[in-house]
Amino acid sequence: MKRFFIIIATVFLLFSCSEDKSQQPAQNAAPSLFEQVREQTKTNPQDRDAWFHLADLYERAEAYQEEADALKKVVTIKPDDGYSYFKLGTTYNRLGRYQEAIASFQKAEKYIPRNPVLYNNMAVAYGKTGKTDKEIESLKRAISLRPRYVTARYNLAATYLKKGNRQEALKQYDIIKQIDEGAAASLKKEIDQKKEK
């Protein structure tokens, strides 16, 4: 019986504590994670990790210009940070700044040349700037690094379709079909919409 009363008292205490928290004024709230990380970058402006963390928080909030600004600070502090150049290129893609994306991806390539996602994202930027041959070259590089990379194969097929090369698109479709049936079905619809020229 004593144990029952202890459990009831604990539940009551927990319930009353949770009510008290909700009634506390907002000014007593702990600083947000954004505020904490921003403060860290102000306290130590050469803290690469803090700037990278801030960039990550901006990415999650879809604040891409702010993410780009934080990543530029990262690569200023650590100019050989290939992954940050890659992230910066991806951010520039999201912002529609494709020439800057390509430049960032090319810098990243010097440090992380075996990253297939880098080449896929670089291909997107090349495609947006009308450099279809470079787009194909980058996608082939991504696939050579990761043969089962469905996104890159799909993008390669779409690029071939853009160039009017339905046969090459079908080759990619045949490979994708063995890896991801959903992606293959989606690609097949695109291929069927295009008539061979």
Side-chain angles (χ1 to χ4, degrees):
M1 191 70 165
K2 186 176 181 180
R3 188 174 185 171
F4 174 76
F5 285 116
I6 292 172
I7 292 170
I8 295 296
T10 304
V11 169
F12 178 76
L13 182 62
L14 288 173
F15 181 73
S16 63
C17 287
S18 67
E19 279 185 13
D20 288 345
K21 286 182 183 177
S22 66
Q23 294 172 0
Q24 289 177 351
Q27 66 263 24
N28 290 341
S32 74
L33 187 55
F34 265 116
E35 292 165 343
Q36 291 175 30
V37 176
R38 275 195 213 107
E39 186 58 35
Q40 194 173 350
T41 62
K42 288 177 186 172
T43 304
N44 184 0
Q46 295 302 307
D47 185 342
R48 176 261 179 221
D49 293 338
W51 283 104
F52 190 87
H53 189 189
L54 185 60
D56 185 55
L57 292 172
Y58 281 130
E59 179 184 15
R60 292 172 191 214
E62 298 180 6
Y64 299 125
Q65 182 55 58
E66 292 82 357
E67 179 190 6
D69 293 340
L71 287 168
K72 283 193 282 188
K73 186 67 177 170
V74 171
V75 296
T76 299
I77 295 167
K78 193 171 186 312
D80 62 346
D81 190 337
Y83 188 70
S84 291
Y85 282 117
F86 160 69
K87 296 275 290 175
L88 184 56
T90 302
T91 303
Y92 282 141
N93 267 352
R94 290 179 175 138
L95 290 168
R97 293 161 55 181
Y98 302 113
Q99 293 295 346
E100 290 168 282
I102 291 167
S104 293
F105 289 134
Q106 288 171 338
K107 287 178 183 173
E109 187 177 17
K110 293 176 187 176
Y111 305 105
I112 52 170
R114 300 199 49 79
N115 184 323
V117 181
L118 163 69
Y119 294 102
N120 181 73
N121 293 6
M122 185 187 295
V124 170
Y126 279 131
K128 295 292 187 175
T129 58
K131 298 176 181 170
T132 313
D133 290 337
K134 288 280 200 182
E135 182 180 8
I136 290 171
E137 181 183 316
S138 293
L139 290 166
K140 285 182 175 180
R141 177 78 173 131
I143 292 165
S144 74
L145 292 168
R146 186 186 297 163
R148 295 177 61 86
Y149 190 3
V150 171
T151 302
R153 286 194 179 278
Y154 193 108
N155 290 343
L156 182 58
T159 305
Y160 280 133
L161 286 175
K162 192 167 45 176
K163 286 193 78 162
N165 191 337
R166 191 168 181 271
Q167 286 308 114
E168 288 298 323
L170 282 168
K171 286 179 186 176
Q172 292 305 313
Y173 163 75
D174 288 338
I175 296 168
I176 292 171
K177 190 168 51 172
Q178 298 170 28
I179 304 168
D180 184 329
E181 289 181 15
S186 179
L187 178 58
K188 186 71 164 88
K189 287 178 188 173
E190 285 190 48
I191 292 171
D192 289 344
Q193 289 172 357
K194 295 275 186 179
K195 300 295 181 198
E196 193 165 13
K197 294 180 179 180

